[in-house]
Amino acid sequence: MASLRTRLAVLLPLAGMLLVAAPVEAASADSKKGAQVYCYMRSNGNSHAVSFEASYALIKRQSSGVFKTSPKHAAVMITETVVEEPGSYPDCGRYLGDLFGDKTSKKSSRATRQSSITSSDSNSETSTDWDADARYSY
């Protein structure tokens, strides 16, 4: 009869492999659902922000992993799913760029708009603390 130490030496690595392999298939299903929601909403005229919030919420809630899925990772998951199955998501490729929008150009254009707004109306107080375009900062 094998000792307890020998049994643990054999069983623990096997258990670890099973735990690691299970979330991969679940993550694949989550990203597929997230991509379906994102592409469906965008193709029906919704904005990127609304569509991404809905798909990201679905990915976060249905993921079975220990760690929280970041918004950047969710965007990558959606992109991978659409690229792997382009026939399942027709015309969705044109929306994928919005998942990885350039933050620097948006910030500079927003700063320009902000300065023109404050110069045209000196009595209005606008808050620059909240950034609607900074969807990936956390």
Side-chain angles (χ1 to χ4, degrees), residues 22 24 32 72 74 88 94-95 127-128 136:
V24 172
K32 194 171 201 173
K72 286 183 181 180
S88 299
R94 62 183 170 165
Y95 303 123
S127 173
T128 59
Y136 300 125

Side-chain angles (χ1 to χ4, degrees), residues 51-127:
S51 303
F52 183 73
E53 281 296 317
S55 62
Y56 178 55
L58 185 130
I59 290 171
K60 273 195 321 186
R61 287 189 186 113
Q62 295 195 359
S63 66
S64 60
V66 176
F67 301 106
K68 175 186 161 192
T69 304
S70 72
K72 286 183 181 180
H73 187 240
V76 169
M77 290 169 66
I78 292 169
T79 303
E80 286 176 344
T81 303
V82 171
V83 170
E84 286 175 0
E85 302 176 25
S88 299
Y89 309 98
D91 297 330
C92 191
R94 62 183 170 165
Y95 303 123
L96 295 180
D98 294 339
L99 292 170
F100 304 97
D102 185 21
K103 294 181 198 176
T104 56
S105 66
K106 288 181 180 179
K107 286 184 178 180
S108 64
S109 66
R110 188 183 66 246
T112 305
R113 279 186 279 135
Q114 188 65 29
S115 64
S116 67
I117 290 171
T118 55
S119 65
S120 66
D121 187 15
S122 60
N123 291 335
S124 70
E125 292 184 22
T126 58
S127 173

